[in-house]
Amino acid sequence: MTVRITVWNENIHEQENKEVAERYPKGIHGAIADGLIDNDLTVRTATLQEPDHGLTEDTLGNTDVLIWWSHCANDEVADEVAERVVKHVHDGMGFIPLHSGKNSKPFIRLMGTTCNIKYRHSGETERIWVADPGHPITDGLPESFEVPSTEMYGEPYDIPEPDRTVFISWFEGGEVFRSGVCYRRGRGRIFAFRPGHEEYPIFFQDEIR
């Protein structure tokens, strides 16, 4: 069975920041999509600027997993589109919010909390530890790996207790963070994954892909 994936990106930084555009010439959505090329996957992309933000009823009805990257334009997503995403998750669609997608309207609605964190923008090293080596998401990964430069996310992380915590991150300042957490909502499954700050080439790193 072919898995149908939609990669969504607000696509703002790539248009407004020359360095981000050079780092991600196909956009962050393009880099993520390129990392998912597989015979058993069909991948499409969508962005905030499209009608209905590219997330029409038809698109979501033909999506098995929605991957969501956002940062500075979370509030610009129309409420009706956010509710449409939430409905499809409850109906069985997978949802993977990346990095600041934790503050997206769909994720906040699905969690029922603020999803706020402590953060520091400092370009430091992150070590990601595999906390649940039996989970399929961790297949093929070592017990830990590093992201050389990133933004720090730290606890407390205002989310409900996860069903499973797959990754825990450590940063140079000593902070830790639940950087890969799983939930079920209705018939849908959610995996919130922390890495992916736009100022660094994180989505080209093999372990992240």
Side-chain angles (χ1 to χ4, degrees), residues 68 85 155:
W68 183 291
V85 170
E155 300 286 344

Side-chain angles (χ1 to χ4, degrees), residues 95-140:
F95 182 51
I96 304 177
L98 301 171
H99 194 56
S100 291
K102 68 176 182 55
N103 287 125
S104 66
K105 288 182 178 180
F107 189 59
I108 288 173
R109 283 163 165 77
L110 288 161
M111 295 297 101
T113 59
T114 69
C115 302
N116 287 337
I117 60 164
K118 178 172 66 175
Y119 70 95
R120 181 175 60 254
H121 189 180
S122 57
E124 60 196 84
T125 299
E126 173 185 11
R127 177 166 289 277
I128 300 176
W129 290 90
V130 173
D132 189 351
H135 198 288
I137 289 173
T138 70
D139 186 36

Side-chain angles (χ1 to χ4, degrees), residues 61-78:
N62 288 283
T63 296
D64 298 309
V65 180
L66 175 62
I67 299 174
W68 183 291
W69 191 96
S70 60
H71 184 194
C72 64
N74 284 314
D75 290 341
E76 295 182 27
V77 173

Side-chain angles (χ1 to χ4, degrees), residues 14-83:
E14 299 92 326
Q15 298 185 62
E16 297 182 352
N17 186 310
K18 180 181 177 181
E19 291 183 356
V20 175
E22 291 174 349
R23 187 171 297 111
Y24 290 104
K26 295 183 181 180
I28 290 172
H29 51 297
I32 294 169
D34 285 351
L36 292 169
I37 294 173
D38 188 285
N39 292 333
D40 295 325
L41 303 175
T42 60
V43 184
R44 74 174 81 184
T45 61
T47 63
L48 178 72
Q49 295 77 25
E50 298 173 41
D52 274 359
H53 310 321
L55 299 175
T56 64
E57 185 66 39
D58 181 66
T59 295
L60 292 176
N62 288 283
T63 296
D64 298 309
V65 180
L66 175 62
I67 299 174
W68 183 291
W69 191 96
S70 60
H71 184 194
C72 64
N74 284 314
D75 290 341
E76 295 182 27
V77 173
D79 288 340
E80 58 267 30
V81 173
E83 292 296 342

Side-chain angles (χ1 to χ4, degrees), residues 128 131 157 162 164-169 177-182 191-195:
I128 300 176
Y157 184 10
R164 294 176 74 168
T165 298
V166 180
F167 297 114
I168 296 174
S169 291
F177 190 76
R178 291 168 289 170
S179 53
V181 292
C182 298
F191 174 60
F193 190 46
R194 194 217 71 82

